[in-house]
Amino acid sequence: MSGRVNLLVPEVRANPYPTYAELRRSPVCQVDPGGYWVLTRHDDVVAAFKNPAVFSNTGMRMVTKPAWLGHNPFADSMIGMDPPNHTRLRTLVNRAFGPPVLARLESRIRGFAGAIVDRIPEGTAVDFVDAFCLPLPASVIGELIGLDPAQHHLYKRWADDLTSITSIPPGTAESPRMAEIRATVKETEHFMGRVLANRRVEPRDDLVTDLINARVDGEQLSDAELMNFMFLLLVAGLETTIHLLSHAMRVLMEHPDLVERLRANRAQIPRFLEEVLRYEPPVQAIMRVTTADTEIRGVTIPKGSPVALMMGAANRDETHFPDAETFNMDREGMNNLPFGHGVHFCLGAPLARLEAKLGLEALLTRFARFTSAGPMEWNRSMTVRGPVKMPVVAHAK
Ligand code: HEM
């Protein structure tokens, strides 16, 4: 391939898949902005996920805590660590984040989904991101980290600001946007600090209280580790699930037959969602940094290089998914990679699947058809992909 591909230009954001197909033909190369290395074949991405000694998660920390930001609890959370530091934290939070959390949340999520769907007007164009895809996961995250679900626009802004750190290329001059992001970090810390202080005085039957009380072999989470984990939940759990819901809606608009099929058989919703997660993974790339020179397919990536593991490209790799560019919910033996792989495998995957299933159940109970009411506007990020605006009309018949 001649010249570097720029993954952030609008044409690529609107549809990155032809570019990914091109990248899979030179599967170990550098892209713009920033000159990051990318791996795009399924086998290479999985091998890198399985090898944290060489593909270190401190790469995540490196790109989410640039010098202009200085302080970012998300970057200091376990997602920016390797074993054994990561193992200690993951063991502690696993205790508080196990199956009982889902059981405790299920009826709340069903309630949120029903109320949100009831508010969507029938036969009138709405921005579906605002009307459905955002409020559902935002209400769930609010519940998890002890914030008022009614304030969800506030923490959507925090999550947007925190995820946009990676779209500011290294070496960019100081700008008002940077000052805004620094202010967001402070504001988020202030709100979350109040929740933590409150739960220490008045414990509740909730995740924050469970995290404060979590103990493994006499160890517990420090105040800073609790704050870092709350930032991680906000960033990891909000934008991702919003995009899963919006991608699901787009597929339903493009394939009205699937709406009928799922309405007739709700048990197929999880299978449908698995294919949405392959076809349009909300997380398109996960960052690592190499701890040694490493050779892949005859190309040497030097030690200390940021490397993006491109799940968006790996999920369309023909060698793993025949007819990969086609949406087909009847695929057998799905080995998609939307939630990563290995020691950092997404802690919230069962929760995200549950939210999306209950959300779609509520939508398909009330509506029989969805049509597009105008062009979508895409976000601008190296790592997560989804629309920021999605005009849709929902029809009862
Ligand atoms: C469709 C929705 C979601 C997608 C596509 C997604 C994707 C991912 C991916 C790819 C990773 C791996 C990161 C790595 O390897 O460095 C990850 C990690 C993580 N996710 Fe998710 N996620 C989703 C929803 C959620 C939710 C709802 C939560 C919790 C509220 C959550 C919490 C986490 C946490 C805590 C980690 C870090 C795990 C670790 O470092 O050990 N995620 N997620």
Side-chain angles (χ1 to χ4, degrees), residues 49 57 60 77-81 86 90 93 97 140-141 144 229 232-234 236-244 277 281-283 285-288 309 311 337-341 343-349 351-353 355:
F49 271 127
N57 264 59
M60 193 74 93
S77 73
M78 68 175 179
I79 205 163
M81 295 179 187
H86 170 262
R90 177 93 187 203
V93 301
F97 214 90
V140 176
I141 289 287
L144 274 184
F229 186 62
L232 172 58
L233 286 180
L234 173 72
L238 185 55
E239 196 71 8
T240 50
T241 316
I242 294 173
H243 294 331
L244 169 57
L277 285 162
V283 179
I286 281 289
M287 295 308 297
R288 298 290 190 256
L309 313 186
M311 291 117 80
L337 281 177
F339 296 111
H341 190 86
V343 293
H344 287 276
F345 181 81
C346 176
L347 192 67
L351 175 60
R353 288 180 166 124
E355 279 179 50

Side-chain angles (χ1 to χ4, degrees), residues 77-217:
S77 73
M78 68 175 179
I79 205 163
M81 295 179 187
D82 297 321
N85 295 342
H86 170 262
T87 321
R88 171 184 164 267
L89 290 174
R90 177 93 187 203
T91 312
L92 273 163
V93 301
N94 267 343
R95 284 286 160 101
F97 214 90
V101 171
L102 286 197
R104 186 164 58 198
L105 279 174
E106 181 157 349
S107 65
R108 290 288 287 157
I109 301 175
R110 194 172 274 116
F112 288 138
I116 291 164
V117 168
D118 280 349
R119 287 197 295 270
I120 299 175
E122 202 263 313
T124 308
V126 287
D127 173 9
F128 220 70
V129 176
D130 210 41
F132 177 73
C133 309
L134 163 65
L136 180 56
S139 304
V140 176
I141 289 287
E143 183 89 3
L144 274 184
I145 58 181
L147 296 170
D148 177 0
Q151 287 187 307
H152 65 244
H153 280 99
L154 184 64
Y155 38 97
K156 167 75 168 84
R157 176 170 60 73
W158 299 342
D160 280 352
D161 284 356
L162 293 166
T163 44
S164 71
I165 294 166
T166 53
S167 63
I168 301 182
T172 305
E174 174 63 26
S175 68
R177 180 73 188 123
M178 291 173 176
E180 244 168 50
I181 297 176
R182 285 193 293 267
T184 291
V185 170
K186 274 207 184 119
E187 187 183 346
T188 312
E189 240 176 350
H190 172 74
F191 270 81
M192 290 186 177
R194 284 208 322 223
V195 174
L196 283 166
N198 170 282
R199 294 304 186 279
R200 287 195 190 281
V201 183
E202 287 174 37
R204 288 196 201 162
D205 185 17
D206 69 3
L207 178 76
V208 178
T209 307
D210 288 354
L211 287 168
I212 291 173
N213 293 334
R215 301 281 184 282
V216 174
D217 299 334

Side-chain angles (χ1 to χ4, degrees), residues 307-322:
V307 182
L309 313 186
M310 303 290 298
M311 291 117 80
N315 275 347
R316 300 253 184 142
D317 187 336
E318 283 286 340
T319 59
H320 277 261
F321 307 103

Side-chain angles (χ1 to χ4, degrees), residues 111-137 152 245-246 249 252-253 358-371 373 390-397:
F112 288 138
I116 291 164
V117 168
D118 280 349
R119 287 197 295 270
I120 299 175
E122 202 263 313
T124 308
V126 287
D127 173 9
F128 220 70
V129 176
D130 210 41
F132 177 73
C133 309
L134 163 65
L136 180 56
H152 65 244
L245 295 172
S246 54
M249 174 47 59
L252 290 177
M253 286 193 292
L358 297 177
L360 282 196
E361 278 177 9
L363 266 184
L364 295 172
T365 300
R366 179 154 175 235
F367 297 111
R369 233 164 20 95
F370 305 93
T371 48
M390 192 182 195
V392 173
V393 181
H395 308 266
K397 283 188 233 140

